Amino acid sequence: MNTALLMIRYHEIALKGGKRPVFEKQLARNIDKMLKRTFGSDAPIKVLRQTGRILVEAPWDDENQAKAQQTLEKVFGISSFSPMRKVDTHIETIKTAALEEFQKAIAAHGMPKTFRVQTRRSDKVFPESSTDLDRIFGSHLHAAFPDLQVELKKPELRLGIEIRRNQSYIWSQKFPGPGGLPVGSNGKLLALMSGGIDSPIAVLQILKRGSPVRFIHFDGAPFVGPESREKAEDLVRLVNQYQPAPERMHTIAFGKIQEKIALVTDAKMRTVLYRRMMMRISCRIARRIKALALVTGEALGQVASQTLENLVTIDRVSDLPILRPLIAYDKSEIIALAHHFKTFDTSVREAADCCTLFGDRHPTIYSTPAEAEEQEKNFDVEALVNEACEKIESWTFQDSRHNS
Ligand code: ATP
Ligand code: MG
């Protein structure tokens, strides 16, 4: 089996000035962990940091290369990556290897009309500038394929050459990464995870900004079936593939609590009241697990509970910031992302959510905190929060290889 090599590029991290080494280390660590989750913890995978790049060395074949690519597409912080060939740093050796790689690329993808060579020197081993080297290698290729046009801006085939002191690297394919920042480079969050379309996408958007995410799910059992909780678990499995370590889901037995609230409150107010309870309980759990803020999949005006008035009423009981990455998204934009991240099919599986239990068909659109507080005089808020936090169940998702 050959040693396969991948070159990994990142751009946003490069902007982070003094923090750059921290972000680079985090990204390299995440690549290592996530590849080992795919290939096994004892797989001989080496992740090396070089100036402005990360190199991955692993003894794998074509099939494993495809699996590695699928994994790297989920590592936030990567802007793009390329399979590479390593050669000694001698002009003639590079020329010969460049031509071979060029021929291979043409055999695999067909004859292009235009091409360019793109050379990058991180070590000034050769006296020539990168542009001079582009010309030297480019004319070598041109001599073999005289009909091809050189096109600098949008070539159909681009051959990359990275010159380093002893070894140089040649690539012809570039795959996009997911962008963003490496997970673990920002503080921890607790996400309210329903079984819907929005919450997994909210989590993925915030994971992209580098925050690891734990999950909390409110289970309406015995008034909703197990399929609702199972759906939330399956969604957690899917989004956990984007974190270097799979995070837990805490499940709150919420159905009986909702029943108690429903017995003594106005039907029109119940959705807002349940959501205030969810926030109180989530704040309590967030402090327990040292999460700095909450995340929800709410979007302004999407449903009755998400008018600005109701969001204000809900926010009032949270003593932690509530991050709502989808606040300005249309449903169609969220659905497009759900297709992109492949969460859609799971999200649309039939299952009831607890939010509408014992509710009115036309819940209030314009609540005020005072109205909610008035209703909450009818039950013991603190006792119900305590009850919920005592009965918490926690699920770990250790090995996502068996779950995906
Ligand atoms: P989704 O598609 O994510 O379910 P939605 O548009 O159906 O969202 P709601 O049901 O009002 O909207 O929920 C808004 C947000 O509240 C969800 O995105 C999620 O963050 C949280 N949420 C709702 N129900 C639950 C639940 N049972 N457990 C945990 N969080 C929930
Ligand atoms: Mg929902």
Side-chain angles (χ1 to χ4, degrees):
M1 197 175 286
N2 297 329
T3 298
L5 270 176
L6 288 162
M7 179 172 67
I8 292 174
R9 306 178 191 84
Y10 43 88
H11 43 68
E12 203 164 348
I13 300 170
L15 303 174
K16 294 286 165 184
K19 275 203 151 181
R20 182 171 159 165
V22 179
F23 286 85
E24 285 173 340
K25 270 189 204 148
Q26 185 73 51
L27 180 59
R29 216 165 27 228
N30 291 359
I31 291 169
D32 186 59
K33 277 193 179 169
M34 289 166 79
L35 285 172
K36 284 184 174 154
R37 252 162 85 193
T38 303
F39 292 105
S41 54
D42 47 3
I45 291 168
K46 269 199 249 163
V47 178
L48 312 162
R49 288 194 295 131
Q50 294 199 341
T51 14
R53 297 278 191 257
I54 290 174
L55 294 184
V56 178
E57 251 183 57
W60 56 47
D61 52 21
D62 286 354
E63 186 195 332
N64 283 339
Q65 180 96 1
K67 267 167 72 180
Q69 282 174 20
Q70 282 163 14
T71 305
L72 294 175
E73 280 162 9
K74 298 189 175 77
V75 183
F76 288 119
I78 295 180
S79 62
S80 68
F81 56 93
S82 295
M84 289 190 310
R85 166 161 173 186
K86 182 157 76 171
V87 293
D88 290 341
T89 300
H90 292 296
I91 291 273
E92 290 309 315
T93 317
I94 297 173
K95 271 189 189 169
T96 312
L99 183 56
E100 279 170 18
E101 288 307 302
F102 200 66
Q103 285 163 331
K104 260 203 253 167
I106 290 172
H109 306 289
M111 182 63 80
K113 286 199 185 66
T114 57
F115 84 106
R116 82 161 286 185
V117 173
Q118 196 167 6
T119 312
R120 195 172 174 265
R121 301 177 308 165
S122 62
D123 277 309
K124 306 218 174 344
V125 212
F126 300 129
E128 293 86 352
S129 69
S130 300
T131 326
D132 292 338
L133 290 168
D134 283 354
R135 270 195 219 107
I136 293 171
F137 298 127
S139 38
H140 185 62
L141 304 181
H142 217 173
F145 296 94
D147 294 340
L148 291 187
Q149 301 275 315
V150 175
E151 158 67 50
L152 296 184
K153 283 211 176 111
K154 280 195 173 167
E156 282 176 46
L157 177 54
R158 188 187 296 261
L159 194 89
I161 302 176
E162 302 250 334
I163 311 267
R164 305 212 172 222
R165 184 150 298 278
N166 300 313
Q167 309 269 246
S168 295
Y169 302 95
I170 304 174
W171 55 267
S172 63
Q173 273 179 300
K174 197 171 186 177
F175 299 99
L181 301 171
V183 175
S185 60
N186 247 319
K188 195 202 286 179
L189 297 168
L190 178 65
L192 283 78
M193 190 73 158
S194 66
I197 295 171
D198 305 330
S199 37
I201 298 307
V203 171
L204 284 159
Q205 294 300 91
I206 211 79
L207 280 174
K208 190 174 177 182
R209 302 315 302 158
S211 277
V213 176
R214 273 271 186 103
F215 307 91
I216 184 165
H217 176 68
F218 293 86
D219 184 4
F223 307 105
V224 302
E227 59 282 355
S228 171
R229 195 196 64 228
E230 285 160 12
K231 195 149 79 108
E233 279 168 29
D234 286 346
L235 289 169
V236 168
R237 283 193 184 92
L238 288 175
V239 300
N240 260 339
Q241 293 178 358
Y242 290 79
Q243 313 211 57
E247 292 281 352
R248 287 163 181 234
M249 181 166 100
H250 306 287
T251 304
I252 304 288
F254 201 50
K256 292 281 190 196
I257 291 174
Q258 289 179 279
E259 188 186 32
K260 286 181 192 164
I261 295 173
L263 283 173
V264 292
T265 52
D266 177 357
K268 285 191 180 308
M269 284 292 289
R270 281 176 203 156
T271 303
V272 168
L273 295 172
Y274 298 153
R275 301 189 65 74
R276 280 164 62 100
M277 289 303 282
M278 285 185 180
M279 293 305 169
R280 292 183 176 107
I281 296 163
S282 300
C283 283
R284 181 85 67 88
I285 303 301
R287 292 203 186 285
R288 219 183 256 179
I289 64 164
K290 301 196 166 53
L292 300 177
L294 306 178
V295 182
T296 76
E298 288 157 315
L300 191 58
Q302 192 193 81
V303 289
S305 61
Q306 294 169 26
T307 59
L308 194 52
E309 286 76 2
N310 284 344
L311 291 179
V312 168
T313 305
I314 292 163
D315 268 24
R316 194 58 64 87
V317 299
S318 176
D319 52 5
L320 291 176
I322 303 173
L323 306 189
R324 298 183 167 103
L326 306 183
I327 197 72
Y329 283 50
D330 289 346
K331 193 76 187 185
S332 57
E333 292 169 311
I334 302 172
I335 289 174
L337 284 169
H339 285 297
H340 171 77
F341 286 114
K342 301 192 172 62
T343 54
F344 185 81
D345 291 347
T346 306
S347 288
V348 296
R349 256 165 36 197
E350 198 65 43
D353 188 66
C354 66
C355 278
T356 49
L357 280 179
F358 319 113
D360 194 280
R361 274 184 12 146
H362 302 288
T364 184
I365 301 176
Y366 306 116
S367 67
T368 62
E371 276 170 339
E373 282 158 21
E374 196 53 40
Q375 294 282 316
E376 285 166 352
K377 286 182 184 154
N378 298 333
F379 60 95
D380 188 340
V381 171
E382 199 54 25
L384 290 188
V385 172
N386 290 339
E387 182 185 323
C389 292
E390 271 159 27
K391 283 199 208 130
I392 185 162
E393 272 186 76
S394 297
W395 301 76
T396 48
F397 299 86
Q398 273 317 327
D399 191 345
S400 72
R401 272 186 299 162
H402 302 302
N403 299 325
S404 56

